[in-house]
Amino acid sequence: GYTDPITGNLQFKCKLSNAIKNGETRELMRVVSLSGMILEILNKIGGIGSKEEMGFSDGVCGKQGQGVRVCDGGPPVLIRNVTVGGLN
């Protein structure tokens, strides 16, 4: 994904996520994309998981055959009323 610090636009994908309905974890969603404005997304955070729930993934970031190992991760985050992959 990427974040544009000038416009505040962000876009990223994740391999796996779950829908949450009525406070319960529901169906598994795969290759989910999220895009929007940073401050709008931050204002929609309804909950953040505990430190013990943190996970991370590793990968490579780069272009034109140049790559650098990177990793990312964090606790699960509940984002309310957000459009995910074109679906509300």
Side-chain angles (χ1 to χ4, degrees):
Y2 76 90
T3 304
D4 185 332
I6 295 172
T7 65
N9 190 35
L10 65 85
Q11 182 174 7
F12 70 89
K13 290 196 274 186
C14 61
K15 293 179 185 176
L16 302 172
S17 68
N18 289 89
I20 298 174
K21 295 182 182 172
N22 299 322
E24 295 186 17
T25 302
R26 297 294 177 107
E27 66 269 9
L28 178 67
M29 300 185 299
R30 298 173 189 261
V31 192
V32 172
S33 63
L34 175 65
S35 63
M37 301 302 287
I38 296 167
L39 295 178
E40 290 175 12
I41 299 293
L42 290 174
N43 281 317
K44 293 181 177 186
I45 292 176
I48 300 175
S50 69
K51 181 177 166 183
E52 290 79 29
E53 298 176 33
M54 288 184 69
F56 76 94
S57 62
D58 61 349
V60 177
C61 183
K63 61 183 180 181
Q64 298 178 345
Q66 301 174 30
V68 175
R69 285 195 64 147
V70 295
C71 66
D72 55 27
V77 177
L78 170 65
I79 304 172
R80 298 184 187 282
N81 301 317
V82 66
T83 300
V84 179
L87 301 174
N88 288 326

